Amino acid sequence: MDTNSGEPVDPENPGPIDPGDPTNPVILSIGEARSIGTGGTVTIKGKVAAGLKNTYSVQDETGGIAVRPTSLSMAIGDEVTLTGTLSEYRGLLQLDKVTIINKVENVGVPLPKVVTGIEVSENIESQLVTVKDVTLTDVNQQPGYANFTANDGTNFIVRDETNTLGLTKGTFYESITGIVQQFDNDYQVIPRSKADIVVDSSTLKPAIASPESGTFVGKTSVSLTTTTAEAEIYYTVDGSEPTAESQKYDTPIEIRENTTLKAIVKAKDGALSEITTYEYMVTNKLQIHDIQGAGHSSPFAGKMVEGIEGIITYSFVLGNNNYYTIQTPDEFIDDDPNTSEGILLYSGNKKWPISVGDLVSIKGQVSDYAYDGYDDRQQTDLKATQINVRDDQGGKVEVVKNSVPLPEPIKLDKLKMSFSRIDSDQLQVFNPTIDAIDFWESIEGMRVGVEDVKAVSPQ
């Protein structure tokens, strides 16, 4: 690569590649794009192999590359043509500030490359790989992630980037599949879901859906997998119990309306697994309670949402950052007491021209973030769900109507706050009527009122 000029170099030809007409850019292979280094703007074409917490992974036959932002409208199995700028973060080469030029849905997921731990390196960065016969020998476990020391004869890192995959120290795994990414001096294999983790493929295991249950705008495409070798999956979408006579799964299932999906796995010897059930809600308009969900993290984390409406109830500044809280108008709240109707907006150093009482429509990226606290708060504290409405990151806030009556506050009293525990299950089950910490999550960002209370100390 020519590090001085930043010009793309064809590995088969020492001369520079002609970038062509900028209005009709030359599509480079991912291998060619990777050879350019940082700073260049390129167009590539490949298949989406993963949607991770902070990046997508896109591959072709010449290699893989990390792609940002995660709010792009593409899914695993799509074939996409992308234009973006090559940059680097903690050693990981990324295609950043990407726009989608073309997309063909459900073309197929790239097959993982079978490698050994010693091969987990820059040579296969951002590619989908499978490492076989792996033992997890140690773990650095934090509230939001877990890094495991893995060994197949050579040590390497397996990263559970959400700490939800059920990996355990001391366990032998038949195989672990994931995307290879660099972080500083380390290379990690990052599994995409539980389906990438195989303890014993001869054991009958139930079907896993991706995405799992949730609320989706317009439609969603659901893939079914099992870790059981040579098994078949059968499913229903009408809520009935599936059998080996039901619809056989062979291609992703398109969901366009509220659907109960049930699936069963048939092993090679004819044995049937337990039935797994997934609930999909499809809406044309998201509300705040959809984004908050019934839990401590948002089901929309990492996704761009648009058209969310709420009334500004409060605003504040922390350092140079501006924040607002908005709440669903009373006539549009749901009947689920576990889902909050309030949410935080983050707008960076820009102060939007909005005031308490304005009904606004917003666009931005959802995240769970500890916006205030000690330096280690992202690892130690529970996060608040927020929507990033910074206009330099694709966010937007528009006033729909001024001087709207504020939502009625929730009255807090002894009865409503009679809890047996602060947290009875280490946040494993969401119990707002039992655990105090879950109750406060269920009204996060909402207006409240108190009566007949006594102040006993400052914060």
Side-chain angles (χ1 to χ4, degrees):
M1 116 181 173
D2 184 347
T3 55
N4 293 319
S5 68
E7 294 262 304
V9 176
D10 185 341
E12 309 255 336
N13 183 340
I17 300 170
D18 182 359
D21 181 353
T23 61
N24 187 24
V26 173
I27 298 176
L28 302 181
S29 72
I30 292 176
E32 290 171 335
R34 292 188 64 89
S35 72
I36 295 172
T38 60
T41 298
V42 297
T43 300
I44 62 164
K45 182 178 181 179
K47 295 177 182 178
V48 181
L52 302 178
K53 186 175 181 179
N54 297 307
T55 63
Y56 286 97
S57 175
V58 176
Q59 291 184 216
D60 65 9
E61 63 279 1
T62 68
I65 193 164
V67 171
R68 287 178 51 84
T70 54
S71 56
L72 292 166
S73 178
M74 58 191 199
I76 294 176
D78 291 348
E79 184 177 67
V80 291
T81 304
L82 310 171
T83 294
T85 302
L86 292 163
S87 65
E88 188 177 285
Y89 179 74
R90 308 294 286 264
L92 177 66
L93 183 65
Q94 302 180 137
L95 191 62
D96 205 359
K97 301 177 182 177
V98 165
T99 56
I100 300 175
I101 306 302
N102 188 51
K103 178 177 72 172
V104 181
E105 296 182 353
N106 294 326
V107 171
V109 183
L111 293 175
K113 179 184 293 186
V114 178
V115 301
T116 60
I118 201 170
E119 295 175 283
V120 177
S121 65
E122 184 176 3
N123 293 332
I124 52 174
E125 184 180 271
S126 294
Q127 295 185 45
L128 183 65
V129 304
T130 294
V131 187
K132 296 185 175 182
D133 300 330
V134 177
T135 301
L136 301 184
T137 60
D138 201 2
V139 62
N140 173 19
Q141 192 147 358
Q142 302 293 334
Y145 69 91
N147 283 350
F148 292 86
T149 301
N151 185 281
D152 69 340
T154 302
N155 282 344
F156 61 101
I157 295 173
V158 171
R159 178 176 175 82
D160 179 350
E161 60 178 3
T162 58
N163 204 7
T164 59
L165 297 178
L167 293 166
T168 55
K169 173 185 171 182
T171 301
F172 174 83
Y173 293 87
E174 185 176 309
S175 68
I176 296 177
T177 298
I179 301 296
V180 175
Q181 285 197 346
Q182 183 178 359
F183 186 82
D184 292 338
N185 295 321
D186 297 319
Y187 285 89
Q188 309 167 334
V189 175
I190 307 177
R192 300 164 297 178
S193 69
K194 292 179 180 179
D196 282 339
I197 311 298
V198 181
V199 179
D200 180 0
S201 65
S202 65
T203 303
L204 181 58
K205 292 290 186 179
I208 301 171
S210 178
E212 296 183 354
S213 302
T215 301
F216 301 86
V217 180
K219 65 175 182 177
T220 189
S221 181
V222 178
S223 297
L224 295 175
T225 55
T226 179
T227 60
T228 305
E230 300 180 64
E232 298 173 337
I233 301 175
Y234 297 87
Y235 70 93
T236 62
V237 292
D238 59 2
S240 62
E241 301 294 283
T243 68
E245 305 302 317
S246 300
Q247 178 70 39
K248 183 179 177 181
Y249 174 81
D250 51 18
T251 59
I253 305 159
E254 191 167 272
I255 306 291
R256 291 183 172 272
E257 59 186 8
N258 294 348
T259 299
T260 298
L261 171 65
K262 294 188 176 186
I264 195 167
V265 175
K266 180 183 177 182
K268 185 170 63 173
D269 63 2
L272 297 176
S273 73
E274 63 181 277
I275 294 171
T276 48
T277 302
Y278 299 91
E279 300 285 349
Y280 298 93
M281 302 290 291
V282 178
T283 180
N284 292 322
K285 182 177 178 60
L286 285 176
Q287 299 287 357
I288 292 171
H289 50 251
D290 296 322
I291 297 171
Q292 283 282 13
H296 286 281
S297 59
S298 170
F300 286 84
K303 296 181 180 179
M304 187 70 80
V305 295
E306 188 171 4
I308 311 301
E309 292 190 359
I311 302 168
I312 303 289
T313 59
Y314 184 58
S315 66
F316 60 96
V317 178
L318 279 175
N320 295 322
N321 295 316
N322 292 275
Y323 294 88
Y324 307 86
T325 54
I326 63 172
Q327 187 168 328
T328 308
D330 287 337
E331 61 266 31
F332 296 118
I333 65 173
D334 66 3
D335 57 1
D336 185 352
N338 294 349
T339 57
S340 174
E341 299 291 347
I343 202 165
L344 189 67
L345 306 183
Y346 162 68
S347 67
N349 59 18
K350 173 170 181 174
K351 187 174 178 64
W352 288 94
I354 51 180
S355 304
V356 171
D358 287 345
L359 176 65
V360 296
S361 176
I362 66 98
K363 175 185 178 182
Q365 187 172 24
V366 179
S367 64
D368 293 302
Y369 188 77
Y371 63 88
D372 195 15
Y374 294 107
D375 291 344
D376 61 351
R377 61 188 182 275
Q378 303 307 330
Q379 286 73 48
T380 61
D381 293 9
L382 283 175
K383 314 292 195 301
T385 299
Q386 66 178 28
I387 302 176
N388 182 350
V389 294
R390 285 177 51 168
D391 59 356
D392 62 336
Q393 295 183 11
K396 193 175 185 179
V397 179
E398 294 181 320
V399 176
V400 177
K401 189 176 181 181
N402 300 114
S403 302
V404 174
L406 298 184
E408 286 295 316
I410 294 173
K411 290 291 190 288
L412 301 179
D413 53 31
K414 287 183 179 179
L415 181 63
K416 188 162 287 184
M417 297 173 62
S418 297
F419 307 109
S420 59
R421 298 287 294 274
I422 293 174
D423 175 33
S424 63
D425 48 37
Q426 289 73 54
L427 305 180
Q428 296 303 303
V429 180
F430 196 62
N431 293 313
T433 60
I434 297 172
D435 293 345
I437 203 166
D438 295 350
F439 169 74
W440 294 114
E441 170 68 37
S442 74
I443 59 171
E444 179 182 72
M446 295 181 68
R447 300 185 74 223
V448 298
V450 294
E451 296 178 353
D452 300 326
V453 297
K454 180 183 293 185
V456 295
S457 87
Q459 181 178 3

